Every structure is written in structure tokens, then in C-alpha cells.
Amino acid sequence: MKDIQQPADPENGSRRVQAADIAMNCRVLGSGHPLLMIMGYGSTMNLWESSLLERLAENYQVIVFDNRGIGGSETGTQPFSIGQFAEDSAALLLSLGVGHAHVLGWSMGSLIAQELALRHPALVGRLVLCAAHCDAEMFPPSPEVLAALTDSSGTPEERGMRYISVLFPESWLRSNGPRLKEIFFRPMGPIPSESVGRQAAAIGEWGGTAGRLGGIACPTLLVAGAEDRLVVPDNARYMSGKIPLAELVVIENGGHGLMFQFPGKFCDCVTGFLG
């Protein structure tokens, strides 16, 4: 791995790397075959929980980073798009001197991961897609979920709670208040509303991969929550039938944020697949 250009942040060990037109904020943990983890919509790499990263870092060289315009990564001048985020991910790997990595993407990160595997197949060893879809209109969420996501009324806290409410099953939310605080009530770093809006537009403008799934040549694991109301599991079931070397795991009682609900089970799925 190449030397990273900027000094580490003493708070969390993050560093900045020049990747194409922007400096990208990243962390590298552990040793072994590289595993690039791509964060979802509106969040920084700090949303990945330390316990998850530490467990994965026992077997892999884990690389996490902030997407363009979020956290400590520069915005740059390129238009935001899922394709551009995939190019950013590839540029980060190459800047770090990594020519081959496993890739894990969650939610929006799973869209980016699909594009990365299709655009740069030589870079991707095994692919893990969590809460993924290939066409937002194929198996859409309910009107109630869409209304909760697009409702901009109320305080930032109220808007945040509406977003959180669609990530988990209602029964789990009712009995896991302390766990929610562990997940979300900690420093996340800068999340500019303008960049979040541009991410949302990028997701909306993405043409999807429904007609290209057969081109994903690497072994692929699709992990879905049986109770995911945002990206319903029918999406993963469909994709598993179209990607040639796909495996599917549907986790009972899991929502969109199943990796927070069942971190041990999620890690077992990932490590069992990556080997």
C-alpha cells in the first residue's frame, strides 16, 4: 500500500488521499486481503460501527471512506452521480496502491458497488451487496415510506427520526431505544445538506443495472432484511436470479439497517462468503 498523503486524524485515525480530482477521507484497519466498504446515502464512514470494523479487520485490510462532498472528502467539480461515485471508489483504491479488493456496499453504497464491479471488474474480487436494488421502480417502497422520506417538515431531530423509522422494523424500534442511541447519537462529521441533496438526485437519476446484471462476473452475496421497508427483499431475490455467481441471504426480522440490528449475524454472513 502506498503512503497516504495527509496526516492521520488523532481522533479516529482517518487520513486524506488524493484520488483523481479530490482529496478523499479514509481509514485503513487490519491486514489481509483488502475489503472496501462503501457507505450509504447521507452518511459518513463514521456510521460504520467500530465493533463491526474491528471484527472484519481481524481477517481483512478494511478500507472505509467518505463519499465525495461528505465528511472529510472534498466535493470537487464533477457532477454527482452513482457512476462518478464508483469512479471515486476506484481512484481511491488505486491511490492506496490496491489493485484488487473485495467490495461491500450498503444501500446507496450497493448501487455504487454494482457500478464499480461493472466498470472495473479487475479491481473487484468478491462483492457483497446489502439492501440493494438494480432499478428503483421495479419493487418500490410503499407510498407511506416514500412520504416519510420526503417529508421535510419539523425540526432536524424530527426529520432524522422519520428517516430512522424506515430503517428498522417497528417492533425492533419499540424495544431498542438504547441501541438507537449507540448507532446514531455519536459524532458523524460534516454532512452538508447540499451534498445530501445532490446524493439524492444522483440516486434518482441512476439508470440502474437491471439490463447489465449478467455482466457482474465476480462472486456476489446479496444480503436483505425480510422486513426492509425501504428496499424490499424482492429486489435482492430478483438480482440473485440475474447475477451469474450470486448467493442470497434474507435475514428474518431484519430491516434496511440489519447490520445494526444483528451485527454478529451480518459479520458471519460476510466473512463466511469472503472466506
Side-chain angles (χ1 to χ4, degrees):
M1 176 170 288
K2 295 180 180 177
D3 290 337
I4 300 176
Q5 297 180 358
Q6 300 293 333
D9 181 335
E11 293 295 322
N12 64 9
S14 66
R15 297 171 180 263
R16 299 185 89 195
V17 180
Q18 190 65 35
D21 68 312
I22 58 173
M24 297 184 71
N25 198 38
C26 69
R27 292 176 65 200
V28 181
L29 306 88
S31 60
H33 193 82
L35 169 61
L36 181 72
M37 298 176 62
I38 309 178
M39 178 46 68
Y41 166 74
S43 298
T44 70
M45 64 180 176
N46 293 343
L47 188 56
W48 298 115
E49 289 189 288
S50 295
S51 59
L52 172 67
L53 298 182
E54 289 167 3
R55 181 169 171 192
L56 291 172
E58 293 174 2
N59 297 296
Y60 311 101
Q61 184 182 66
V62 177
I63 303 166
V64 295
F65 66 99
D66 291 329
N67 283 305
R68 176 182 293 258
I70 293 285
S73 291
E74 293 178 343
T75 302
T77 59
Q78 297 296 325
F80 279 29
S81 69
I82 299 301
Q84 181 59 55
F85 299 151
E87 295 300 331
D88 294 342
S89 301
L92 174 65
L93 286 175
L94 295 176
S95 292
L96 291 171
V98 175
H100 192 261
H102 300 317
V103 176
L104 185 156
W106 173 54
S107 194
M108 183 188 79
S110 75
L111 315 185
I112 299 168
Q114 291 173 62
E115 288 290 350
L116 179 61
L118 287 164
R119 291 166 177 242
H120 300 278
L123 281 178
V124 181
R126 286 179 171 252
L127 183 64
V128 179
L129 303 175
C130 183
H133 70 76
C134 63
D135 181 339
E137 297 182 358
M138 190 172 288
F139 303 103
S142 69
E144 292 78 16
V145 168
L146 287 175
L149 285 175
T150 56
D151 184 352
S152 60
S153 65
T155 66
E157 291 76 15
E158 289 170 336
R159 293 195 296 272
M161 285 309 300
R162 277 197 297 271
Y163 175 67
I164 290 171
S165 72
V166 305
L167 297 183
F168 304 101
E170 291 181 6
S171 59
W172 188 88
L173 282 171
R174 285 195 298 269
S175 56
N176 284 275
R179 178 71 180 122
L180 282 177
K181 291 181 180 180
E182 289 178 2
I183 299 167
F184 295 104
F185 292 86
R186 50 195 168 91
M188 293 294 170
I191 305 177
S193 58
E194 180 182 358
S195 290
V196 173
R198 293 177 71 183
Q199 281 190 350
I203 295 170
E205 294 165 1
W206 184 53
T209 59
R212 297 182 286 150
L213 291 174
I216 297 179
C218 57
T220 301
L221 174 66
L222 292 129
V223 184
E227 305 301 322
D228 190 341
R229 296 185 295 147
L230 183 56
V231 179
V232 299
D234 284 344
N235 288 281
R237 294 187 181 103
Y238 174 84
M239 293 172 70
S240 69
K242 299 296 182 179
I243 297 173
L245 299 175
E247 299 178 25
L248 172 66
V249 173
V250 179
I251 296 180
E252 291 303 314
N253 301 314
H256 197 71
L258 64 87
M259 67 180 178
F260 300 106
Q261 293 176 263
F262 310 111
K265 186 178 293 186
F266 178 72
C267 265
D268 288 343
C269 289
V270 172
T271 57
F273 171 72
L274 296 181

